[in-house]
Amino acid sequence: MLIFTCPYCGVAAEETELAAGGEAHLKRFGPGSSDAELEGYLFTRENPKGVHFERWRHVNGCGKWFLAARDTVTLEVFGTYPAQTTEPPKHIADAISAKRPGWSWRNFSGEA
């Protein structure tokens, strides 16, 4: 079972107390976007084997959305952070890099 610590209220909650919200750090498209951009946002998702960033809601707690970094193979949770954050905090990125040599947020996020 996955256990996440809510970054807002500090409660360590089992995944049954939370609601999964899908992939994190997606670029959302609003009015004026092309059909291809909207289609990509709605239907194109990563399904990685390894490090993945997800949105979760603390349903049976404070009710707030947060982001989590975890490994989809080992189910290891690297950490959680507020939903308004545009990239994982340094301590989470460092924890991932320590266990996955060569991993970096720049490579993951598609930045050059």
Side-chain angles (χ1 to χ4, degrees), residues 11-97:
V11 172
E14 296 177 354
E15 64 185 295
T16 57
E17 300 174 44
L18 308 167
E23 188 177 346
H25 302 294
L26 294 175
K27 178 175 174 44
R28 287 157 175 81
F29 294 93
S33 61
S34 70
D35 288 345
E37 289 170 331
L38 182 60
E39 177 186 17
Y41 169 69
L42 292 175
F43 302 111
T44 304
R45 295 290 186 267
E46 293 292 322
N47 188 15
K49 182 177 181 179
V51 177
H52 190 54
F53 296 89
E54 302 168 324
R55 298 173 64 232
W56 289 85
R57 183 170 177 253
H58 194 183
V59 175
N60 293 344
C62 65
K64 294 187 177 180
W65 285 95
F66 64 89
L67 305 179
R70 73 176 183 97
D71 189 299
T72 60
V73 176
T74 65
L75 301 182
E76 177 180 8
V77 177
F78 294 105
T80 60
Y81 51 104
Q84 296 77 18
T85 309
T86 58
E87 64 184 59
K90 184 175 180 350
H91 72 278
I92 292 176
D94 290 346
I96 296 169
S97 294

